[in-house]
Amino acid sequence: MKIFKLPDLGEGLQEAEIVEWQVQVGDSVGADQPLVTVETDKAVVDVPAPRSGQIAKLYAAVGEIVEVGKPLVEFTDGDDVRSDAGTVVGSVEAGDARIAEKPAALARGKTGIKATPAVRALARRLDVDLTIVSPSGRDSVITKADVERVAKRLAELGPPELLRGPRRTMAQKMAQARSEVAPATIVDDADIHDWAVDTNHTVRLVRAIEAGCVAEPSLNAWFDGYSLGRRLLQKIDVAIAVDTTDGLFVPVLRDVGNRDDDDLRRGLETLKADARARRIPPAEMRAYTITLSNFGMIGGRYAAPVVVPPTVAILGAGRVRDAVVAVDGAATVRRIMPLSLTFDHRAVTGGEAGRFLAAAIESLESS
Amino acid sequence: MPEVTLVEAVNTALARAMGTDENVVVLGEDVGVNGGVFRATAGLQERFGEARVIDTPLAENLIAGTAVGMAAHGLKPIAEIQFMGFIYPALDQLLSHASRLRTRTRGRLTCPLVLRAPFGGGIHAPEHHSESTEALFAHIPGLRVVIPSSPARAYGLLLASIHDPDPVVFLEPKRIYRIVKQDVADDGHALPLDVCFVLRSGTDVTLVTWGAMTHETIQAADALSSAGISAEVIDVATIKPLDIETILESVEKTGRCVIVHEAARSGGWGAEISAQIMERGLLSLLAPVQRVTGYDTVMPLFRLEDRYMPSVDRIVQAAHATLGFE
Amino acid sequence: MTVSFKFDSLQYLDTDGAVVFEPLPEWANDAAILIPLYRTMVETRAFDAKAVALQRTGQLGTYASSLGQEAIGVATASVMTADDVLLPTYREYGAQFWRGTTMAEILLYWGGDERGSDYAGPRGDFPISVPIATHACHAVGVAYAMKLRQQPHAAVCFVGDGATSKGDFYEAINAAGVWRLPVVFVVTNNQWAISVPVSKQTAAETLAHKSVAAGIAGRRVDGNDCLAMKQAATEAIDNARNGRGPTLLEALTYRMSDHTTADDASRYRSAEEVDAHRLQDPIDRLRRYMESRGLWADAEEQELHDATAQRVEQQVKVYLDTPAPAPQTMFDHLYATLPRAFDAQRQAVIEEK
């Protein structure tokens, strides 16, 4: 309440005289605290504050008579309209929040493996990965028998060999590549018939990559799939895939654009020797911008090699062969190098890839 | 040793309790001169007098409320509601007062009453006389709900309920009031409350039930046994507070559970038992818990009664369903 | 053929405290009888005002005021013995205080604490009853126990005017009648059941008339006349105690307050109507009577006022100083011994932060 009126003092008394104010304007009072002393016909009584609050106004002076029900004291806040509690017990909170609900549907989740909790617990106990268990139950439910069957098979096979070192790294990187990259592949052939006999294939391939990068810089880039951003890189650092008995190594030939052929050749020799001797520091297998996989030295023609993020392209060279091709309308035998360019289509267009490959082939086919 | 029916066992227990403790009184409609419409209180008024075996006016709410007042003021009233179908006016007194008198006075006032009512279907009775709504009472905190399934358990559990210092709703399955006789010594020996009774040992599937359905369930166990399936049969007896430990121990062994109750399916007490088995026995389960129950319909009049009530066949099929799950 | 019954209302004092009916009861001049009645009414009112103030300042939950009805409970309780049993609704603080229930206990109850109903004083009295009229059946049970044991005790059950519409009430007075039980049903007719006036509650000419249907004695009394109330209660309880059966005693009064602190009675009744009933205040009336007999004066009034204020403050302090119980106590007294089935829940409550 804002205005406190002189309350009923009992005994049918209708008025009282102000004897003494216990508070002044501006005072803060607590509930039940004496506000004013008044005198009636019968007695001198203290009138307590009905609420806590700050005094804004006193309605009578000492010695004045106030009638029951007339204003006595005004508080600085409050209102005199008794708001409807809207209940007879407790308190039903009212809020101002507005809600606007849109109808929702059940979320589409993935349908996973079907197995009862008991079967799942059994699989855990027997160390069986449910993803490798073929369900034999109705509705593709994995049964207890299924789990036991697989456990038995695995026991016969013995524990798996845990991947280490480069094989482990390869498994992890390829899995990452698989989950992130949108690969597309173009294949073509380069006519290297006119190469000199002692031509260093790898150096020529590196130069071809350089030519491609010059023609289409977007293949020499790092792509960030999370922010959807790419960085076009000035330097061309080519990762060279090296096959060893321990697995795949990918040492990096740095800054090929600013090195001459001899330098490149020496660099490659060093890389290969170091790779075979397991001497390459980890730093030298990181931060490359594009990859070369010369798998043709082992075998194979065309491939769709894996693009490892954050790079966006990998050039694969297959086994050089003599092939019958058309030259000036006539069939003839030429030395042919098959090429496969796999690119991350999130960052590179087909046109860019095509032009890259054309430039690479032009570089390879030049004398 | 006398061979008695279930309702006779009730009568014997009442007489024993009244003979032992002068504070025990019986009240209800037609319980005095008539001895109760099912004769559960036969002979009591002759023996113990009108003041202690009271024919009340026709008012179920009054019967329960009077029992609350009597219990709070030192008597041990055993109120009879003639049929579960007429118990609902008394629900207010049970829920609003009997179940909470002790806690709301912090133990100063207590309510050691027993409210007995015949319940369940199967006697081709007119409308409203075949109810099984034990779940309504089991839901009330502070109440005990006890359901005997044999003469011996009726005697022992009723005595226990009378001795118990808290309110008990004692539901008597009237279909089996007279169907079998059993040796029951009138030795004043009470059976334990809050525990299940294992009626039959088994290893392949656990059958959980109470009341009149124990008969069908035992028959189902027999049928399963002929098919080489060993069923363990558990009589819950005290519906609330539930002895889930016994049930869990059984399910841990068998991995399969069928709950049988006459009451309607949804929100029936089988749902509570199933939920508790899921919470604490999930990894033992080889199949989902089955419930064989009355349907979610109003109990039909007696021409369809037999189709409503769970049959031996339905129980057997449910057991097979758990066995054939995988 | 129509039959009519007449129930006169007993009244000794008019609103000014002047005697309008004689002879007065023999104790009507006895200060030793009158002053305790007066004091307890004054205490009840002071407590009541304080309780409302506490609710308005957020220190008490919903509270049902007894303003204006003090004489009914106090006068009736003054006739009861320690062995009798009181079954109140929620406006009989006067009766409860007379019988030893404390202000702090009542505050604890409305403050949301069950310990408020664990009365240290009257161990057999029933606690405040909220589901309307349901305790009328309890009174039947209590009275039956008393009769069975052949004890010269009585159960005294208070109900309101609204309660007399309820099945429990009819069932209770009916049973009390047919079993001839030592129970008195005091119907506090304060004219209002929340917003429903008595005129909309029943077509019965008076609430006392309902006694006819039950075949029990019926009586009407001016509930704001402390002398009349005490006299009527004396006769009724005496009859009950001595095997002369139950009584339905309709005590007329007026609910000066809102139904509860959450109710706003101005929604359904006028301020003028409420004001008019101020004249019938039971406390004023008894004081004027006592003063006219030279049994009370200003000095005593002031002294009582001071002592009462002090007592109320002391009791409020007891209440406010009582810390909330530990949460696991909600499992205490659920049963005599907590069944194992609920141990885990109790433990979970203890462990929850």
Side-chain angles (χ1 to χ4, degrees), chain A residues 8 10-12 31-32 42-44 50-52 82-91, chain C residues 50 53 56-57 62 194 258-264 267 278 284 287-288 291 298 301-302:
Chain A
D8 179 15
E11 306 181 42
D32 294 339
K42 296 273 184 141
V44 174
R51 52 158 285 200
S52 61
R82 167 96 179 269
S83 51
D84 180 8
T87 176
V88 287
V89 288
S91 106
Chain C
K50 187 64 184 176
R56 296 275 182 250
T57 51
T62 308
I194 309 187
D258 301 317
H259 169 68
T260 62
T261 46
D263 176 47
D264 177 6
R267 287 171 63 84
R278 243 177 258 287
D284 289 344
R287 188 177 64 251
R288 287 186 195 124
E291 284 167 350
D298 286 351
E301 180 71 17
Q302 187 58 49

Side-chain angles (χ1 to χ4, degrees), chain A residues 196-241:
Chain A
V197 167
D198 63 348
T199 304
N200 185 311
H201 283 42
T202 311
V203 169
R204 288 302 299 267
L205 283 165
V206 168
R207 286 290 175 222
I209 285 175
E210 183 193 345
C213 291
V214 166
E216 280 295 350
S218 62
L219 278 79
N220 189 51
W222 283 341
F223 180 72
D224 179 351
Y226 297 101
S227 65
L228 293 186
R230 68 170 183 176
R231 293 178 169 84
L232 300 181
L233 303 159
Q234 301 297 93
K235 286 199 308 156
I236 305 167
D237 295 335
V238 183
I240 314 281

